[in-house]
């Protein structure tokens, strides 16, 4: 797991760190200026960015390499390392957005506790997107890289339609936090998102185990 974690972070730094951080900062800055840092718009926009980051992590699924050496591990620690690295990379992106989030707080004054809760929801959303992307890659193969993005769109669309699984929709989850009357409902929804993400991660592990990477 730790070998995968280190390899994934190094590969991200060498391959696409500048691109993903630039997209995050530019998109959040433009959205903030256009909406005067309206909290719901910012929270939903960052959720979309985290879904994209998770999709990138999953669509580039492979046995990570450090130099020319492939990291050979079993499916569970392989994906555990990938998700751990995604948590670190995602947190780094949110840290880069902290000046924009501070401006949002100064403009609208949401309670500080919201930021920790929003960050948890954003990270879990990236995990779910990564798991769906990995599942898609294992089912459709590397020649259909955008099948994972379609699967994510279907997942979002379905969770908009059925209230029973509202916690699995990152957009509804983060917007609900900023409009909820109390904290308890959001924490229950966050627990639901955690459970749903765990199920998707388990399916991803099984998909990798059943169909090995060529």
């Amino acid at each position: 797991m730790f070998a995968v974690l280190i390899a994934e972070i190094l590969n991200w730094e060498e391959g696409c760190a500048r691109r993903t951080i630039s997209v995050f900062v530019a998109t959040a800055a433009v959205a903030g200026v256009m909406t005067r840092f309206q909290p719901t718009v910012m929270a939903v926009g960052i959720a979309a960015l985290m879904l994209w980051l998770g999709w990138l992590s999953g669509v580039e699924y492979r046995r990570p390499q450090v130099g020319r050496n492939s990291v050979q591990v079993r499916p569970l620690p392989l994906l555990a390392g990938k998700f751990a690295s995604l948590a670190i990379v995602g947190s780094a992106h949110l840290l880069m957005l902290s000046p924009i989030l501070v401006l949002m707080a100064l403009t609208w004054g949401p309670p500080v506790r919201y930021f920790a809760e929003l960050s948890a929801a954003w990270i879990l959303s990236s995990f779910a997107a990564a798991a769906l992307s990995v599942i898609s890659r294992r089912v459709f193969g590397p020649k259909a890289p955008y099948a994972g993005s379609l699967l994510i769109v279907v997942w979002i669309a379905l969770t908009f339609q059925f209230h029973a699984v509202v916690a699995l929709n990152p957009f509804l989850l983060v917007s609900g936090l900023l409009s909820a009357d109390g904290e308890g409902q959001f924490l229950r929804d966050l627990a639901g998102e955690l459970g749903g993400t765990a199920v998707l991660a388990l399916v991803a592990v099984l998909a990798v185990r059943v169909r090995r990477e060529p």
Side-chain angles (χ1 to χ4, degrees), residues 194-213:
L194 177 60
T197 302
V199 171
L200 291 176
L202 177 60
V203 174
V205 169
L206 294 175
V208 173
R209 183 182 296 275
V210 169
R211 183 178 178 182
R212 296 184 179 277
E213 183 77 2

Side-chain angles (χ1 to χ4, degrees), residues 63-74:
R63 295 200 178 273
Q65 293 185 333
V66 178
R68 296 182 178 181
N69 298 318
S70 178
V71 177
Q72 297 294 332
V73 290
R74 295 181 180 275

Side-chain angles (χ1 to χ4, degrees), residues 24 44-58 86 121-130 132-133 149 152-153 155-156 168-171 193:
F24 264 68
V44 169
I46 294 173
L49 290 169
M50 292 299 285
L51 288 175
W52 173 64
L53 190 67
W55 173 79
L56 279 178
S57 177
L86 181 57
W122 288 328
I123 294 293
L124 284 175
S125 299
S126 71
F127 285 176
L132 286 169
S133 192
S149 60
I152 293 170
V153 169
W155 160 52
I156 296 296
L168 300 181
N169 187 309
F171 302 133
E193 186 187 28

Side-chain angles (χ1 to χ4, degrees), residues 6 26 50 60 67 75 87 98 116 151 165 210:
I6 294 171
M50 292 299 285
E60 295 180 358
S98 57
L151 192 59
V165 291
V210 169

Side-chain angles (χ1 to χ4, degrees), residues 21-136:
I21 289 177
S22 297
V23 169
F24 264 68
V25 173
T27 303
V30 170
V33 170
M34 292 182 65
T35 65
R36 293 185 64 248
F37 301 98
Q38 208 284 330
T40 301
V41 174
M42 298 298 294
V44 169
I46 294 173
L49 290 169
M50 292 299 285
L51 288 175
W52 173 64
L53 190 67
W55 173 79
L56 279 178
S57 177
V59 80
E60 295 180 358
Y61 169 80
R62 60 192 182 282
R63 295 200 178 273
Q65 293 185 333
V66 178
R68 296 182 178 181
N69 298 318
S70 178
V71 177
Q72 297 294 332
V73 290
R74 295 181 180 275
L76 181 57
L78 175 67
L79 291 178
K82 176 176 281 291
F83 290 156
S85 69
L86 181 57
I88 294 172
V89 169
S91 298
H93 284 73
L94 294 179
L95 182 62
M96 296 300 294
L97 295 183
S98 57
I100 297 173
L101 295 176
V102 168
L103 286 174
M104 183 184 79
L106 292 175
T107 303
W108 296 90
V112 175
R113 66 174 175 82
Y114 281 179
F115 292 100
E117 296 168 358
L118 282 171
S119 296
W122 288 328
I123 294 293
L124 284 175
S125 299
S126 71
F127 285 176
L132 286 169
S133 192
V134 167
I135 293 168
S136 172

Side-chain angles (χ1 to χ4, degrees), residues 162-207:
F162 300 100
H163 187 268
V165 291
V166 65
L168 300 181
N169 187 309
F171 302 133
L172 294 178
L173 184 65
V174 297
S175 60
L177 167 64
L178 296 171
S179 61
D181 296 328
E183 182 180 9
Q185 180 61 45
F186 174 77
L187 293 179
R188 288 192 293 272
D189 288 344
L190 188 64
E193 186 187 28
L194 177 60
T197 302
V199 171
L200 291 176
L202 177 60
V203 174
V205 169
L206 294 175

